[in-house]
Amino acid sequence: LRAFNVETLLAAERTSKGALAQMRLHWWRDAVDRVFAGRPPEHPVALALGAACNPATMTKGWFKRIISAREAEAAGEEVSGTLEELETHAERTASSLLYLHLEALGVREKAADHAASHLGKAVGLAQTLKGTVDLLKRQKLLLPADLC
């Protein structure tokens, strides 16, 4: 699950061309469909997802939500004009990943989902802060304008 998250994150970061990033993310969208159909593509992470994911107990929508957030990043859509937008982005990425971890472990409890939502937002905000220097080197700033 974590490797999938890294792959989708790097799909947008490996290129400065938005169209190429969108193509890579579209490949991942198709790969998730194939994993859930029991036919993962010949890619190490996709094969690992195929082995680890039980379509009967895991929600494909969480995978798609992560991909959609990465597509928005690749398209240059603003993810952090405000703190609220940055929190929403963290919910769509880091929290969705935590929801997938819970499902993989067979945990389906409202309290656990609630905790994962808050923890995911905190993790997403911390990752944004951690990556600020590297992003600035590429002339990107994800810190919300209402905080700067």
Side-chain angles (χ1 to χ4, degrees):
L1 295 173
R2 292 175 61 103
F4 163 79
N5 187 51
V6 170
E7 286 285 335
T8 59
L9 174 65
L10 294 179
E13 289 187 359
R14 286 182 180 152
T15 180
S16 60
K17 299 192 185 318
L20 184 55
Q22 294 291 349
M23 287 174 27
R24 288 177 175 165
L25 290 163
H26 182 76
W27 185 91
W28 276 107
R29 187 174 291 282
D30 291 344
V32 167
D33 287 336
R34 291 182 60 187
V35 164
F36 274 77
R39 300 176 283 103
E42 292 293 323
H43 181 282
V45 174
L47 291 170
L49 282 178
C53 293
N54 181 349
T57 60
M58 296 188 75
T59 306
K60 183 174 20 173
W62 297 132
F63 289 98
K64 300 287 183 139
R65 191 175 183 201
I66 293 169
I67 294 168
S68 293
R70 302 300 184 207
E71 287 170 338
E73 289 174 24
E77 293 177 19
E78 189 71 38
V79 295
S80 61
T82 66
L83 179 58
E84 184 178 351
E85 290 171 346
L86 185 57
E87 284 180 12
T88 299
H89 181 71
E91 172 70 28
R92 291 179 181 151
T93 54
S95 294
S96 294
L97 183 63
L98 292 176
Y99 299 146
L100 285 167
H101 279 90
L102 289 172
E103 288 182 350
L105 295 169
V107 177
R108 289 214 181 235
E109 295 178 16
K110 189 174 184 176
D113 288 345
H114 186 76
S117 175
H118 288 288
L119 182 59
K121 288 178 186 178
V123 166
L125 293 173
Q127 288 172 335
T128 299
L129 289 172
K130 180 181 173 193
T132 298
V133 173
D134 288 331
L135 288 170
L136 285 173
K137 288 177 185 175
R138 291 184 278 156
Q139 299 185 349
K140 288 184 176 183
L141 179 63
L142 292 183
L143 295 178
D146 59 353
L147 292 181
C148 294

